[in-house]
Amino acid sequence: MKPSTSSPEALRLAPPVRRVLMTADTVGGVWSYALELCRALCLRGVCVELATLGAPLSDAQWQEARALPGLTVHESTWRLEWMDAPWDDVRAAGEWLLALEARLSPDVVHLNGYCHGAWPFRAPVLVVAHSCVLSWWEAVKGGAAPARYHRYREEVAKGLHAASVVVAPTRAMLDAIERHYGDLHPLRGAPNAGRTEDVATEPAHDSVPDVRALPAARGTPAVDRLKGIATEPAHDSVPDACALPAARGTPNAGRAEDVAPGQSDDSAPRARAFPSARVIPNARCATRFPPSRKERFVLAAGRLWDEAKNLAALEAAAPQLPFPVHVAGDALHPEGGAVAETRSTRPLGHLPPSVLAQWMARAPVYALPARYEPFGLSALEAALAGCALVLGDIPSLREVWGDAARFVPPDDSRALARTLRFLMDHPREREALAARGRERALTFTPDRMAEAYLELYASLARLEHRVS
């Protein structure tokens, strides 16, 4: 019910969003997503405070960040929540983020991770579900994650349920988090998992600021009302305008209002765990990926150690092909271990973004036979560069690309080899597929992504203004 203390005129006059505190890890696609969004937000006059977690920024990442007026980077090296034994670091990172918020006074906190969604930020909190361990394990290993991830599951669930709003880049990813984290009840066999006192009450490191004197935020009556309003579509809640544009072959793909997690579209509807959740697709700037004259090779990119990318399928397919398969990406896991080996494909190593874009410009075909890929930024970049896409046949990639890509079962290396060879041997079909892919890719613009997030930020800020 709309509070009587607020009028439509007061809401209309609520201050715009001027400052956002955003988190990002420095490994993989989240960094690319965050920089693309920061760039578009800064162009609209929004100051973005980007708090990085995980590995230190590389020289290339610093160069990217420093090129953006309006962006300030706050670097840390706290371990990420999906890493082994991360919880002391997760606690320390949470206290660091609370101290940043107290100093910077952002209008919105935009978390590109889960666990800190349960921390007592004063501003509204948006959590973006880019990927997660449980859905990764289900897709890659074919079953439930082992017991050692009970704590992870509970902490992620708490962060999601405490957030003001949850966003995912595809409907498939939204379904996954509903399925894995919709139930807040503690898991059997996980004693004390997810206790609040394990997350936010004890400093883990002497250098972490003491934030115990900070005023309470969410959890106070005013903010509880904010969260309640944010989940009621009839009363100025966050809009449904942030939907994935429907791909040909996937009618209405990505409409958040159609999501009934864990059920087919024709099943009986049920209550959603995250009723205010939204789908906002990722984006890349087309001018950074101009097509060029194509040469005779297949390109792939991704972390070689990540089973989700399924680059092993290309290793198996490559001996059957009369042209080279080049693979760009890190071969060493960020936590160490053995270096991923390549025998049949040609490794390019880690490439700076501009160099990878040049390889994409020359590649006629881009292969991503993924077992798990919640959106697939590299496929978007390749399509913008004029590559025909050959992708793993999984729901998220079907949702994004429809008939603008060829799909192969991730376990079928022979089908992968046949598809790659057919496209290389039939330039007319390949070029038609590439044209459809580029047409589709051009709909995923940074402007569209930024406007969707700004609308969401403004809705959250208005709701906070209304109850303050």
Side-chain angles (χ1 to χ4, degrees), residues 255-276:
R255 286 174 49 207
E257 61 271 29
D258 289 344
V259 175
Q263 301 182 22
S264 61
D265 289 345
D266 57 357
S267 63
R270 65 175 175 84
R272 288 167 51 198
F274 310 109
S276 63

Side-chain angles (χ1 to χ4, degrees), residues 150-350:
H150 283 334
R151 172 76 181 273
Y152 171 90
R153 187 265 180 189
E154 291 301 318
E155 301 296 352
V156 169
K158 285 195 301 182
L160 286 164
H161 283 270
S164 304
V165 68
V166 174
V167 172
T170 56
R171 174 179 174 172
M173 189 61 206
L174 201 55
D175 284 351
I177 63 167
E178 289 267 3
R179 185 169 65 254
H180 290 291
Y181 309 102
D183 181 5
L184 263 180
H185 295 298
L187 294 176
R188 292 177 188 166
N192 301 321
R195 292 186 308 158
T196 303
E197 60 267 30
D198 286 344
V199 178
T201 58
E202 299 176 5
H205 193 284
D206 290 342
S207 66
V208 176
D210 185 352
V211 295
R212 287 171 292 181
L214 292 178
R218 286 177 306 135
T220 62
V223 181
D224 284 342
R225 289 199 303 273
L226 166 63
K227 286 193 65 195
I229 294 166
T231 61
E232 297 171 10
H235 301 292
D236 295 329
S237 74
V238 286
D240 267 334
C242 313
L244 187 70
R248 289 194 297 266
T250 53
N252 300 323
R255 286 174 49 207
E257 61 271 29
D258 289 344
V259 175
Q263 301 182 22
S264 61
D265 289 345
D266 57 357
S267 63
R270 65 175 175 84
R272 288 167 51 198
F274 310 109
S276 63
R278 295 293 178 266
V279 171
I280 302 181
N282 297 341
R284 292 299 267 152
C285 179
T287 59
R288 290 181 171 79
F289 301 93
S292 184
R293 184 174 180 274
K294 299 301 182 180
E295 302 173 20
R296 190 171 171 81
F297 66 89
V298 168
L299 181 67
R303 299 178 295 270
L304 276 66
W305 49 265
D306 187 351
E307 296 172 73
K309 305 301 182 187
N310 195 28
L311 297 177
L314 281 170
E315 277 288 310
Q320 307 170 52
L321 302 173
F323 42 81
V325 177
H326 295 283
V327 179
D330 291 316
L332 181 64
H333 193 284
E335 295 194 272
V339 176
E341 294 184 1
T342 57
R343 294 182 176 86
S344 302
T345 59
R346 301 186 184 183
L348 300 174
H350 176 79

